[in-house]
Amino acid sequence: MKKKKIVIPKDDIANRVKQLGKAVTKDYTGTKLLVVGVMKGAFIFMADLVRQIDLPLEIDFIRAASYGRHTASSGNVTLTENAELSLADKDVLLVEDIIDTGRTAAYLKEILMALAPRSFKICALIDKKERREVPVDIDYKGFTVQEGFLVGYGLDFDEQHRNYPDIYTLDV
Ligand code: IMP
Ligand code: MG
């Protein structure tokens, strides 16, 4: 594994998260907002984002896993932990770390839509759209990154590096 290089410094992340929080606050005023984070990768983004949303809201988490190679989604996505709260009649905002092939988000949308939310939108910190295989509407997007495997700010490689404050590329 080669040395890592910073691609998104923590100050840029903080500024962008602030903007996203403002947009969400504006759009969701007067709704029944339920923010659903996808564990584990979104845990830091989610924590920062909700603190920039100036509205009453509920929080929940789901957990998704896709088995296969380490640096790419296998397409075999499963929900390994479901939401605890009822999604019915709520305005659900799904918070993801990265949309890469799009398979995870597409699968999660299908599963969560079956729970009859009043509305459903996706907020993703990073859009890696070069590798998209399944179309996904990203309603709130932090950054678009062309290529490379990213770690830090919640993102892992083999469960390591999640704790870095900045986002790095890793040459694996
Ligand atoms: P997708 O199903 O291909 O869109 O994969 C999405 C999931 O793969 C994300 O939620 C991440 O957990 C993981 N992932 C994709 N690219 C990266 C990366 O560059 N670094 C860390 N995790 C990634
Ligand atoms: Mg993930």
Side-chain angles (χ1 to χ4, degrees):
M1 192 176 296
K2 292 216 195 103
K3 190 77 189 109
K4 52 206 195 302
K5 183 181 93 201
I6 291 189
V7 278
I8 313 175
K10 57 180 186 300
D11 292 349
D12 291 4
I13 300 173
N15 286 334
R16 192 75 190 111
V17 171
K18 211 171 268 183
Q19 292 168 352
L20 292 173
K22 253 189 200 151
V24 171
T25 302
K26 183 166 162 276
D27 295 349
Y28 281 86
T29 300
T31 68
K32 287 193 259 179
L33 178 56
L34 169 56
V35 186
V36 177
V38 184
M39 295 292 260
K40 295 181 237 178
F43 83 110
I44 295 179
F45 176 43
M46 170 95 167
D48 285 346
L49 179 69
V50 294
R51 283 179 288 177
Q52 299 297 333
I53 302 175
D54 187 18
L55 291 175
L57 56 81
E58 294 177 323
I59 299 272
D60 211 335
F61 293 96
I62 57 177
R63 191 182 292 243
S66 99
Y67 302 96
R69 285 177 298 142
H70 279 306
T71 57
S73 173
S74 65
N76 254 329
V77 189
T78 53
L79 191 73
T80 57
E81 209 169 309
N82 218 328
E84 181 186 70
L85 301 178
S86 167
L87 271 64
D89 206 30
K90 303 277 175 64
D91 296 292
V92 171
L93 181 63
L94 186 73
V95 177
E96 255 282 32
D97 52 358
I98 295 187
I99 313 276
D100 185 18
T101 64
R103 293 189 180 280
T104 304
Y107 170 80
L108 293 176
K109 179 174 181 179
E110 192 186 312
I111 297 263
L112 298 181
M113 285 302 279
L115 300 173
R118 183 163 71 177
S119 69
F120 180 88
K121 284 190 184 179
I122 296 178
C123 175
L125 178 65
I126 290 161
D127 181 9
K128 274 173 47 174
K129 63 177 176 214
E130 303 306 309
R131 302 214 303 184
R132 194 65 34 83
E133 291 170 13
V134 176
V136 178
D137 288 327
I138 308 176
D139 303 281
Y140 303 94
K141 187 190 303 189
F143 301 92
T144 300
V145 174
Q146 298 304 331
E147 56 193 306
F149 194 80
L150 307 175
V151 297
Y153 196 69
L155 310 169
D156 74 307
F157 175 70
D158 224 359
E159 294 301 330
Q160 292 294 318
H161 319 295
R162 293 193 196 274
N163 55 317
Y164 303 153
D166 310 273
I167 294 176
Y168 296 79
T169 42
L170 207 60
D171 294 324
V172 289

